[in-house]
Amino acid sequence: MAPSLASLRRIKFSTFVLVLQITFIIVIAFFGRYSDNESYPEIYGHGSERKGHENYAKYPNFMDVNGMIFVGFGFLMTFLKDYGFSSVGVNLLVSAVCIQWAAIVKGFIHADILAGEKFHIGVEQMVTYDFATATVLISFGAVLGKTSPIQLLVMGIIEILLAQLNEYVGVDLLHVRDIGESMFIHMFGAYFGLAVARVLYTEDIETSKKGCSVYQSDIFAMIGTVFLWIYWPSFNGGFAEDQQQRDRAYLNTFLSLCACTAMTFAVSAAVDKKGRFDMVHVQNSSVAGGVVVGATANMPMQPFGALIFGAVAGTISVLGYKFLTPRMAKYLKIHDTCGVHNLHGMPGLLAAIGSAVLAAMSENWSIHDREAIFPETFDQNSTVPGALGRTAGEQGGYQFLAAVITLGIAIGGGVFTGLILRLPIWNAPSEDRLFDDSNNWEIPGEHEHDTHSTNHVKDTTIQMDSGL
Amino acid sequence: MAPSLASLRRIKFSTFVLVLQITFIIVIAFFGRYSDNESYPEIYGHGSERKGHENYAKYPNFMDVNGMIFVGFGFLMTFLKDYGFSSVGVNLLVSAVCIQWAAIVKGFIHADILAGEKFHIGVEQMVTYDFATATVLISFGAVLGKTSPIQLLVMGIIEILLAQLNEYVGVDLLHVRDIGESMFIHMFGAYFGLAVARVLYTEDIETSKKGCSVYQSDIFAMIGTVFLWIYWPSFNGGFAEDQQQRDRAYLNTFLSLCACTAMTFAVSAAVDKKGRFDMVHVQNSSVAGGVVVGATANMPMQPFGALIFGAVAGTISVLGYKFLTPRMAKYLKIHDTCGVHNLHGMPGLLAAIGSAVLAAMSENWSIHDREAIFPETFDQNSTVPGALGRTAGEQGGYQFLAAVITLGIAIGGGVFTGLILRLPIWNAPSEDRLFDDSNNWEIPGEHEHDTHSTNHVKDTTIQMDSGL
Amino acid sequence: MAPSLASLRRIKFSTFVLVLQITFIIVIAFFGRYSDNESYPEIYGHGSERKGHENYAKYPNFMDVNGMIFVGFGFLMTFLKDYGFSSVGVNLLVSAVCIQWAAIVKGFIHADILAGEKFHIGVEQMVTYDFATATVLISFGAVLGKTSPIQLLVMGIIEILLAQLNEYVGVDLLHVRDIGESMFIHMFGAYFGLAVARVLYTEDIETSKKGCSVYQSDIFAMIGTVFLWIYWPSFNGGFAEDQQQRDRAYLNTFLSLCACTAMTFAVSAAVDKKGRFDMVHVQNSSVAGGVVVGATANMPMQPFGALIFGAVAGTISVLGYKFLTPRMAKYLKIHDTCGVHNLHGMPGLLAAIGSAVLAAMSENWSIHDREAIFPETFDQNSTVPGALGRTAGEQGGYQFLAAVITLGIAIGGGVFTGLILRLPIWNAPSEDRLFDDSNNWEIPGEHEHDTHSTNHVKDTTIQMDSGL
């Protein structure tokens, strides 16, 4: 590779990230403040003990979600044999950037910046930044191995903006409930990513010899799977505001995952000619049970309802991998590296429809549940804040509407983003080096001299021209 | 392999799991209900704050136990070089099925179903389902590589039934204390598994070339070890009902693990001719310190008591691997793949004996500890609920009796289960394919065409006859 | 290897650990007691509810730190291709021993043993034992691959003693604040380890062919990185005594890590001739953001302040790996295997300086923050306990002084320890077997017969002379 090209490449990425990071610092310095400044001594010293307790519950919850973002998503993508560094490494980069950007975007949406207000950054918001980032990591799965780090960052920046606006429309304007964000994160991330993948499609993707797993890389990916699996109840329950809904979300998610996992194995063996399991199904479809109850996890569906949701999700997810994914590649030219359509797309869509149906039937719920989950369905004389006098059926309609809007913004935004990513300025991987870490990483053992020195002392002969 | 045989195999597994899953859903739909329906608004909105607080503590505790089940047990078993997919993958399947089954079995044992009562499934019970599942995963370790997924599921279904009945006898009838379930989980799981392994023994097991580790698989197994190690205090402390006992269980377990780990290394080097450590000892014996205080973790043994328990457990566990396991294989025809006898069996037995001895000496404890741990040893005029007027010595006798009953049910049940598993209908692995993932998994790189396409788009040519 | 030498080696290690473990048990039996004996019934049954709540928060926090010690540090060091067993395995041994020793050392420092007082070992102290152990694991990183297990244990015993005395001087005598122990753990551990590495330096280290990574070992190391990353907020916030400081520490650390990670990638690409990322930087420099706010995480620096700290840490850490580490090896003969100078040393130093500067500027803080963080800067008429009537500037001076003392004790203690470790009695690795697990581990597949038998049944032919 010619030095000039390499320099350009190096300078482009580094400059891009440097400018981003400095911008984030300046914007947050001007507009962002701790949320705690005034209120803590009151809240924790003298006032409502209640508030304090909730934080005790929320921080471990955030830690679990944090584990899903960095360990779960990061390792789930390591299944590709020559793309492990990028999967878990670039996952770290993208998350670190998106978390900061999410803080800014959420701040500008929710604070009245023009009136001189500062937006708040607080411990209780950290989990929402992780949630916003999850959207991007889902899309990352659809384009894994086919994009450069800069492309992923550009995608993340646009996607978070659109996803947060979409969430604002759904939650703040339409008063839709989606506690585990099956619509606003999973569906959005999946269909956005698929749209980007469609625009970036080339024939080389299908003929690449790199885009497959080996035995060890599949076990690395299982690290991601099991951590996503165990922490998913915290993902779905973390936003609940009362203890009953939170606990119910934990329980429903746990049950759904169990039924989903059982059906994943059953269907995976059934669709294989030799009756064997496919590791791809186990890695991904097993956790579709978390997605499918994301929109309804806090609702009174009883344990068997959660099991049914999970069993259906596992089934359609495996069938998707087996029958839909190859056809989407062949006929629609959508190459979905991790199969996010099967893990996040279809189960998310199913979750949205489920939430519409349950909402429409919510008249039969206990008063407490109706008040807590859909205060909008109380009449306007109700003292419950936010009561809009909707009927249960109308609430169901709004839930469905939010899913349609999410789909529209995700696909439209994904196509738009894909077109931007096709501009020949983002260090995109060349067509013969797809699914290949060596594009972006110094690979150990690559050069003779590497194996002859200790790891951290590789460049004893220092070229002064290689500095910043 | 002939298509007809493969079809049969495929249909058998898938049908079995499908029937199980549908049965679970129907039974839970008829007999299972949320535990929260009535009580939440009172408990959390107005009533005892205390109850609420405990849940804040219990959910993170459950998460830790969940980590042990899916990450800990799953990865600990990946040490076999060609059996990693089955270890961590089938561990997921078995757990997902056993958790649901445990909910049903526990429900039928504890609710008065015949009187029309529904059993409860609630967030506070989730950890008990994980505990019940742990029993099966321990037995899984004894038969690892020598059983098919269906065999493991059949084993799990029988074992959970028997183990829960045994626990009912011990806890509800005999009023025995076993906070970290050293008897009811570890001993039971180990001796049950060993009995199954005995019945399934064939000469081929000893001559198989697959049943060993490689460098990388041993490091994967260490993921399991370290997560078991760090979370074990939560396993032993999770059931405690007051804060003092919970904290003491955390502390004793932590101390026991430390002493156990130190002795594991000391003894491992001592029994090797070249003074080197054996990875098998480190992977397994290091965590025997968690098992050995499981029955007594909440008792006032003082820090040095916990250290002594741990040091002894580490020592006997390594000696067991070195001297007992090969002899059990040679003379008793018990092949114990993971050495569960050394990790769960002997340390569990030691824990049971320890609990009997401590119980017998409990007259010297503080009033508070006696009330909290052994209310049965108060006289019948005591106002403490459950006081049976036992002497401390009698309580010690009951602790010992429970261990004997556990041993009996475990071994008898294991032999019975083993005989059922020998029926030639469970897709058992053929004798030349032991310890081999390729029995049950599509292995990446196995076929030429696999490495020529991207991972999730393997079957572009779709055989319509391979559908459900 | 001659049998006699092997026997000596075996006996030496085993005897050393056995004596240590027995000594620990005896000392703790004589001098250590549960901290809970008297106070629990009051505190939890009737008294201050507050105290109880804090424990709910602290245990999950401890679990996170525990994860950093055993998973984080353990796997971060697995990057060496032939040293994975030692990294994650010996990390377990060293931690298990150091935790017990830390309990004793802390006990003797803080209790009046001579007056017959017992020292306390309680659930709330467990995290402090983990912290003390972290110091040793950092030094372990500097000498990784160049020391025997006995050498590491000897180092740990001396280091914990010195580090705890240093912490006593800083915290108890100088009233310095270092909530996440950037000085007392990270700086101390790094400079102590570097001093040891200097004394142990030989030419063979530089010419060894083993001291490098391979693709898979680098991914194993990323397990360590991501768990350190996600849990670091709990490390920095765990010691905070009020909720506001704890939450602020969580938030500042999270933000600092994000900015640090972004800059790590930016600078890593910038200093590579081909613009690629170096896995070593990503594995290590990404988490320097946790170290750099360790001393100030609870201080009111606003979100942008935390981002600046993190961005600077990521930058200097990568530059350190690229330019400083090779020069330290070449000119100073300090070979720093894991580059702890870049991850813990320089960021720790920066944290210390930052804490001095912020302390000096603390006059502008709110009353609440000054009271909570630097009660020493209130005048002597203040009712706040510990008020020493210092000015803010003086407090800054004391912060700086503590850093200087830490540096002095760490370097002096490290040189002293290195000299002891050079005594030819500690089974040091021979010069041709550096960075090599086969020194201390039975490696699977090493001998013909290993691959022909199942893993746990290796020694069917038992030599009775190989017993204890």
Side-chain angles (χ1 to χ4, degrees):
Chain A
M1 198 182 276
S4 61
L5 234 175
S7 301
L8 186 64
R9 181 189 177 80
R10 181 179 76 197
I11 284 169
K12 204 183 282 175
F13 173 82
S14 298
T15 310
F16 184 79
V17 174
L18 186 69
V19 169
L20 263 188
Q21 187 57 57
I22 291 174
T23 310
F24 289 167
I25 290 175
I26 292 173
V27 172
I28 288 175
F30 272 93
F31 301 111
R33 287 292 173 274
Y34 286 140
S35 59
D36 69 8
N37 280 351
E38 316 302 329
S39 52
Y40 261 77
E42 284 168 50
I43 293 178
Y44 291 99
H46 327 291
S48 157
E49 282 284 301
R50 190 86 192 136
K51 186 71 182 277
H53 303 167
E54 284 181 0
N55 254 34
Y56 291 131
K58 281 182 176 170
Y59 180 71
N61 219 98
F62 159 69
M63 267 293 141
D64 296 349
V65 173
N66 222 9
M68 293 176 76
I69 297 298
F70 290 94
V71 184
F73 283 106
F75 275 93
L76 185 59
M77 297 191 290
T78 57
F79 74 96
L80 290 174
K81 70 186 175 73
D82 292 317
Y83 211 62
F85 286 14
S86 298
S87 297
V88 68
V90 175
N91 183 77
L92 195 60
L93 167 69
V94 170
S95 301
V97 168
C98 286
I99 286 167
Q100 298 177 66
W101 176 235
I104 294 172
V105 170
K106 282 179 174 287
F108 273 79
I109 290 178
H110 294 289
D112 193 353
I113 301 291
L114 293 179
E117 208 176 287
K118 307 293 188 186
F119 62 80
H120 283 170
I121 296 181
V123 74
E124 69 277 17
Q125 276 110 35
M126 295 193 299
V127 73
T128 69
Y129 309 153
D130 271 3
F131 267 58
T133 299
T135 326
V136 179
L137 300 182
I138 292 165
S139 305
F140 186 3
V143 299
L144 186 73
K146 302 169 289 192
T147 41
S148 69
I150 306 191
Q151 284 180 309
L152 291 170
L153 292 176
V154 171
M155 182 181 86
I157 286 163
I158 303 175
E159 183 171 3
I160 281 189
L161 196 60
L162 294 175
Q164 292 304 311
L165 286 172
N166 178 57
E167 189 186 298
Y168 178 78
V169 171
V171 174
D172 293 80
L173 303 187
L174 300 182
H175 292 266
V176 157
R177 293 295 169 281
D178 186 14
I179 191 170
E181 307 239 1
S182 294
M183 290 185 243
F184 304 136
I185 290 178
H186 296 289
M187 265 183 64
F188 192 98
Y191 289 101
F192 185 96
L194 292 168
V196 173
R198 174 65 191 84
V199 178
L200 297 185
Y201 185 87
T202 66
E203 293 296 330
D204 305 284
I205 292 169
E206 299 294 341
T207 55
S208 166
K209 293 179 183 179
K210 293 271 190 181
C212 57
S213 65
V214 291
Y215 194 70
Q216 305 267 10
S217 67
D218 268 328
I219 297 182
F220 277 120
M222 283 301 289
I223 298 174
T225 300
V226 291
F227 278 100
L228 288 176
W229 206 103
I230 63 169
Y231 289 146
W232 213 297
S234 296
F235 193 93
N236 284 347
F239 271 127
E241 297 207 350
D242 82 23
Q243 185 72 23
Q244 181 172 29
Q245 285 184 62
R246 184 180 301 141
D247 284 354
R248 209 189 263 155
Y250 293 155
L251 178 63
N252 285 334
T253 307
F254 186 59
L255 294 172
S256 176
L257 285 164
C258 287
C260 178
T261 300
M263 290 309 297
T264 294
F265 279 86
V267 181
S268 184
V271 299
D272 182 69
K273 278 174 294 179
K274 296 190 180 166
R276 299 165 306 174
F277 309 128
D278 187 331
M279 206 32 158
V280 170
H281 305 160
V282 172
Q283 282 159 0
N284 294 278
S285 301
S286 299
V287 286
V291 177
V292 79
V293 293
T296 56
N298 58 333
M299 298 182 191
M301 60 172 80
Q302 289 300 339
F304 75 91
L307 294 174
I308 292 173
F309 265 112
V312 174
T315 305
I316 62 166
S317 182
V318 173
L319 295 178
Y321 274 106
K322 186 73 183 179
F323 301 109
L324 206 54
T325 299
R327 287 190 171 77
M328 282 170 62
K330 194 172 180 186
Y331 301 116
L332 303 182
K333 298 192 185 305
I334 298 174
H335 179 274
D336 180 4
T337 315
C338 292
V340 300
H341 188 242
N342 310 305
L343 168 48
H344 303 278
M346 289 191 296
L349 197 54
L350 190 59
I353 294 169
S355 80
V357 172
L358 286 185
M361 291 163 35
S362 66
E363 272 164 0
N364 306 315
W365 295 355
S366 72
I367 297 286
H368 178 74
D369 280 334
R370 294 179 64 195
E371 266 187 27
I373 300 169
F374 291 124
E376 293 79 4
T377 65
F378 274 66
D379 69 15
Q380 249 141 358
N381 300 324
S382 165
T383 57
V384 178
L388 300 174
R390 288 179 183 170
T391 66
E394 284 168 2
Q395 181 67 34
Y398 280 104
Q399 298 282 133
F400 190 76
L401 178 61
V404 173
I405 292 172
T406 297
L407 216 50
I409 298 182
I411 294 174
V415 169
F416 168 76
T417 306
L419 292 172
I420 289 182
L421 297 187
R422 286 184 63 175
L423 298 177
I425 57 173
W426 307 120
N427 293 353
S430 64
E431 309 199 332
D432 57 335
R433 297 183 81 183
L434 296 166
F435 311 108
D436 190 347
D437 270 340
S438 67
N439 277 315
N440 296 299
W441 295 85
E442 191 176 345
I443 304 298
E446 202 181 8
H447 303 300
E448 185 70 356
H449 72 273
D450 274 347
T451 56
H452 285 211
S453 61
T454 61
N455 193 58
H456 294 293
V457 195
K458 260 177 282 200
D459 296 290
T460 319
T461 327
I462 297 143
Q463 281 83 12
M464 293 315 286
D465 64 342
S466 71
L468 266 174
Chain B
M1 200 182 275
S4 61
L5 234 177
S7 301
L8 186 65
R9 180 189 178 81
R10 181 178 78 198
I11 284 169
K12 204 182 285 174
F13 173 82
S14 298
T15 310
F16 184 80
V17 174
L18 187 69
V19 169
L20 262 189
Q21 186 57 58
I22 291 174
T23 309
F24 290 168
I25 291 175
I26 292 173
V27 172
I28 288 175
F30 273 92
F31 301 109
R33 287 293 173 275
Y34 286 141
S35 59
D36 69 9
N37 280 350
E38 317 301 328
S39 52
Y40 262 76
E42 284 168 50
I43 292 176
Y44 292 99
H46 325 291
S48 157
E49 283 282 301
R50 190 85 192 136
K51 186 72 181 274
H53 303 167
E54 284 182 358
N55 256 32
Y56 291 130
K58 281 182 177 169
Y59 180 71
N61 219 97
F62 159 68
M63 268 294 140
D64 295 348
V65 173
N66 223 9
M68 292 175 76
I69 297 296
F70 291 94
V71 184
F73 284 105
F75 274 93
L76 185 60
M77 297 191 289
T78 57
F79 74 95
L80 291 173
K81 70 188 176 69
D82 291 318
Y83 210 63
F85 286 15
S86 298
S87 297
V88 68
V90 175
N91 183 76
L92 195 60
L93 166 68
V94 169
S95 301
V97 168
C98 286
I99 285 167
Q100 298 178 67
W101 177 236
I104 294 172
V105 171
K106 282 179 173 287
F108 274 77
I109 289 177
H110 294 289
D112 192 353
I113 301 291
L114 294 178
E117 208 178 287
K118 308 293 190 188
F119 64 80
H120 283 170
I121 295 181
V123 74
E124 69 278 16
Q125 277 110 35
M126 295 193 300
V127 73
T128 69
Y129 310 153
D130 271 4
F131 267 57
T133 299
T135 326
V136 179
L137 301 182
I138 291 165
S139 305
F140 187 1
V143 299
L144 186 75
K146 301 169 289 190
T147 41
S148 70
I150 307 190
Q151 284 180 308
L152 290 170
L153 293 175
V154 171
M155 182 181 86
I157 286 163
I158 303 174
E159 183 171 3
I160 281 189
L161 196 60
L162 295 175
Q164 292 303 311
L165 287 173
N166 178 57
E167 188 185 300
Y168 177 77
V169 171
V171 174
D172 293 81
L173 303 187
L174 300 182
H175 293 266
V176 156
R177 295 294 169 279
D178 186 13
I179 192 171
E181 306 238 1
S182 294
M183 290 184 242
F184 304 137
I185 291 178
H186 296 289
M187 263 182 66
F188 192 98
Y191 288 101
F192 185 97
L194 292 169
V196 173
R198 174 64 191 84
V199 178
L200 297 184
Y201 185 86
T202 66
E203 292 296 329
D204 305 284
I205 291 168
E206 299 295 341
T207 55
S208 166
K209 294 180 183 178
K210 292 272 190 181
C212 57
S213 65
V214 291
Y215 193 71
Q216 304 267 11
S217 66
D218 267 329
I219 298 182
F220 276 121
M222 282 302 289
I223 298 175
T225 300
V226 290
F227 278 101
L228 289 176
W229 206 103
I230 63 169
Y231 289 146
W232 214 296
S234 296
F235 194 93
N236 284 347
F239 271 128
E241 298 206 350
D242 83 21
Q243 186 72 23
Q244 180 172 28
Q245 286 183 63
R246 185 180 300 141
D247 284 353
R248 209 188 265 156
Y250 294 154
L251 178 64
N252 285 333
T253 308
F254 185 60
L255 293 173
S256 175
L257 285 164
C258 287
C260 178
T261 300
M263 289 310 296
T264 294
F265 279 85
V267 181
S268 185
V271 299
D272 182 68
K273 278 174 293 179
K274 296 190 183 168
R276 300 164 306 175
F277 309 128
D278 186 331
M279 207 32 158
V280 171
H281 305 160
V282 172
Q283 283 158 1
N284 294 280
S285 301
S286 299
V287 286
V291 177
V292 79
V293 292
T296 56
N298 58 333
M299 298 182 192
M301 60 172 78
Q302 289 300 341
F304 75 91
L307 294 174
I308 292 172
F309 265 112
V312 173
T315 305
I316 62 166
S317 182
V318 173
L319 295 178
Y321 274 105
K322 185 72 183 180
F323 300 108
L324 206 53
T325 299
R327 289 190 171 77
M328 282 170 62
K330 193 172 179 186
Y331 300 117
L332 304 181
K333 298 190 185 308
I334 298 173
H335 179 273
D336 180 3
T337 315
C338 293
V340 300
H341 188 243
N342 311 305
L343 169 47
H344 303 278
M346 290 191 296
L349 198 54
L350 190 60
I353 294 168
S355 81
V357 172
L358 285 185
M361 291 163 34
S362 66
E363 272 164 2
N364 307 315
W365 294 355
S366 72
I367 296 287
H368 178 73
D369 280 334
R370 294 178 65 193
E371 266 187 28
I373 300 169
F374 292 123
E376 293 78 6
T377 64
F378 274 68
D379 70 14
Q380 249 141 356
N381 300 324
S382 166
T383 56
V384 178
L388 300 174
R390 289 178 182 170
T391 65
E394 284 167 2
Q395 181 65 34
Y398 280 104
Q399 298 283 132
F400 189 75
L401 178 61
V404 173
I405 293 172
T406 297
L407 214 52
I409 299 181
I411 293 174
V415 169
F416 169 76
T417 305
L419 292 171
I420 290 182
L421 297 187
R422 286 184 62 175
L423 297 176
I425 56 174
W426 307 119
N427 293 352
S430 64
E431 308 199 333
D432 57 336
R433 296 184 81 184
L434 296 166
F435 312 109
D436 190 346
D437 270 339
S438 67
N439 276 317
N440 296 299
W441 295 85
E442 192 176 344
I443 303 297
E446 202 182 8
H447 305 299
E448 186 70 355
H449 73 271
D450 275 347
T451 56
H452 285 211
S453 61
T454 60
N455 192 60
H456 294 292
V457 195
K458 259 177 282 198
D459 295 292
T460 319
T461 328
I462 297 142
Q463 281 83 11
M464 293 316 285
D465 64 344
S466 71
L468 265 174
Chain C
M1 198 182 276
S4 60
L5 235 176
S7 300
L8 186 65
R9 181 189 176 82
R10 182 178 77 198
I11 284 169
K12 205 183 283 175
F13 173 81
S14 298
T15 309
F16 184 79
V17 174
L18 186 69
V19 168
L20 262 189
Q21 187 57 58
I22 291 174
T23 308
F24 289 167
I25 291 175
I26 292 173
V27 172
I28 288 175
F30 272 93
F31 301 110
R33 286 295 173 272
Y34 286 141
S35 60
D36 68 10
N37 281 351
E38 316 303 327
S39 52
Y40 262 77
E42 284 167 50
I43 293 177
Y44 291 99
H46 326 289
S48 157
E49 282 283 302
R50 190 85 192 136
K51 185 72 181 274
H53 302 167
E54 284 181 359
N55 254 32
Y56 291 130
K58 281 182 177 170
Y59 180 71
N61 219 99
F62 159 69
M63 268 292 141
D64 296 348
V65 173
N66 223 9
M68 293 176 76
I69 297 296
F70 291 95
V71 184
F73 283 106
F75 274 94
L76 185 60
M77 297 191 289
T78 58
F79 74 95
L80 290 174
K81 71 187 175 72
D82 292 317
Y83 211 63
F85 285 15
S86 299
S87 297
V88 69
V90 176
N91 183 77
L92 194 60
L93 167 68
V94 170
S95 301
V97 168
C98 286
I99 286 167
Q100 298 178 67
W101 177 235
I104 294 172
V105 170
K106 282 178 174 287
F108 273 77
I109 290 178
H110 293 288
D112 193 353
I113 301 291
L114 293 178
E117 207 178 288
K118 308 292 189 187
F119 62 81
H120 282 169
I121 296 182
V123 74
E124 68 278 18
Q125 276 110 36
M126 295 193 299
V127 74
T128 68
Y129 309 153
D130 271 5
F131 267 58
T133 299
T135 326
V136 179
L137 300 181
I138 291 165
S139 304
F140 186 3
V143 298
L144 186 74
K146 302 170 290 190
T147 40
S148 69
I150 306 190
Q151 284 180 308
L152 291 170
L153 292 176
V154 171
M155 182 181 85
I157 286 164
I158 303 174
E159 182 171 3
I160 281 190
L161 195 61
L162 294 176
Q164 292 304 311
L165 287 173
N166 178 58
E167 188 185 299
Y168 177 78
V169 171
V171 174
D172 292 81
L173 303 187
L174 300 182
H175 293 265
V176 157
R177 295 294 168 279
D178 186 14
I179 193 171
E181 306 240 0
S182 295
M183 289 184 243
F184 303 136
I185 291 178
H186 295 290
M187 263 182 65
F188 192 98
Y191 289 101
F192 185 97
L194 292 169
V196 174
R198 174 63 191 84
V199 178
L200 297 184
Y201 185 86
T202 65
E203 291 296 329
D204 305 283
I205 291 168
E206 299 295 340
T207 56
S208 166
K209 293 179 182 180
K210 292 272 189 180
C212 57
S213 65
V214 292
Y215 194 70
Q216 305 266 11
S217 66
D218 268 328
I219 297 181
F220 276 120
M222 283 301 288
I223 298 174
T225 300
V226 290
F227 277 100
L228 288 176
W229 206 104
I230 63 170
Y231 289 146
W232 214 297
S234 295
F235 193 93
N236 284 347
F239 271 128
E241 297 207 350
D242 84 21
Q243 186 72 24
Q244 181 172 26
Q245 285 184 61
R246 185 180 302 140
D247 284 354
R248 208 188 266 156
Y250 293 155
L251 178 64
N252 285 334
T253 308
F254 186 59
L255 294 172
S256 176
L257 284 164
C258 287
C260 178
T261 300
M263 288 310 296
T264 294
F265 279 86
V267 181
S268 184
V271 298
D272 181 70
K273 277 174 292 177
K274 295 189 182 168
R276 299 165 307 175
F277 309 128
D278 186 331
M279 206 33 156
V280 171
H281 304 160
V282 172
Q283 284 158 359
N284 294 280
S285 301
S286 299
V287 286
V291 177
V292 79
V293 292
T296 56
N298 58 332
M299 299 183 191
M301 61 173 79
Q302 290 300 340
F304 75 91
L307 293 174
I308 292 172
F309 265 112
V312 173
T315 305
I316 62 165
S317 181
V318 173
L319 294 178
Y321 274 105
K322 186 72 182 179
F323 301 109
L324 206 53
T325 299
R327 288 189 171 77
M328 282 169 63
K330 193 172 179 186
Y331 301 116
L332 303 182
K333 300 192 183 306
I334 299 174
H335 178 274
D336 179 5
T337 315
C338 292
V340 299
H341 189 242
N342 310 304
L343 168 47
H344 303 277
M346 289 190 296
L349 197 54
L350 191 58
I353 294 169
S355 81
V357 172
L358 286 185
M361 291 163 34
S362 67
E363 271 163 2
N364 306 314
W365 295 356
S366 73
I367 296 286
H368 178 73
D369 280 334
R370 293 178 66 193
E371 266 187 28
I373 300 168
F374 291 124
E376 294 79 5
T377 63
F378 275 66
D379 69 16
Q380 250 141 355
N381 300 324
S382 166
T383 57
V384 178
L388 300 175
R390 290 179 182 169
T391 67
E394 283 167 2
Q395 181 67 33
Y398 280 105
Q399 298 283 132
F400 189 76
L401 178 62
V404 173
I405 293 172
T406 297
L407 215 51
I409 298 181
I411 294 174
V415 169
F416 168 76
T417 306
L419 292 172
I420 289 181
L421 297 186
R422 285 183 64 174
L423 298 177
I425 56 173
W426 306 119
N427 293 352
S430 65
E431 308 200 333
D432 57 335
R433 297 183 81 183
L434 296 167
F435 311 109
D436 190 347
D437 270 340
S438 67
N439 276 316
N440 297 300
W441 296 84
E442 192 176 345
I443 304 297
E446 201 182 8
H447 304 299
E448 186 69 355
H449 73 271
D450 274 348
T451 56
H452 285 211
S453 62
T454 59
N455 192 59
H456 294 293
V457 196
K458 258 177 285 197
D459 295 292
T460 319
T461 328
I462 297 143
Q463 280 84 12
M464 293 316 286
D465 64 342
S466 70
L468 265 175

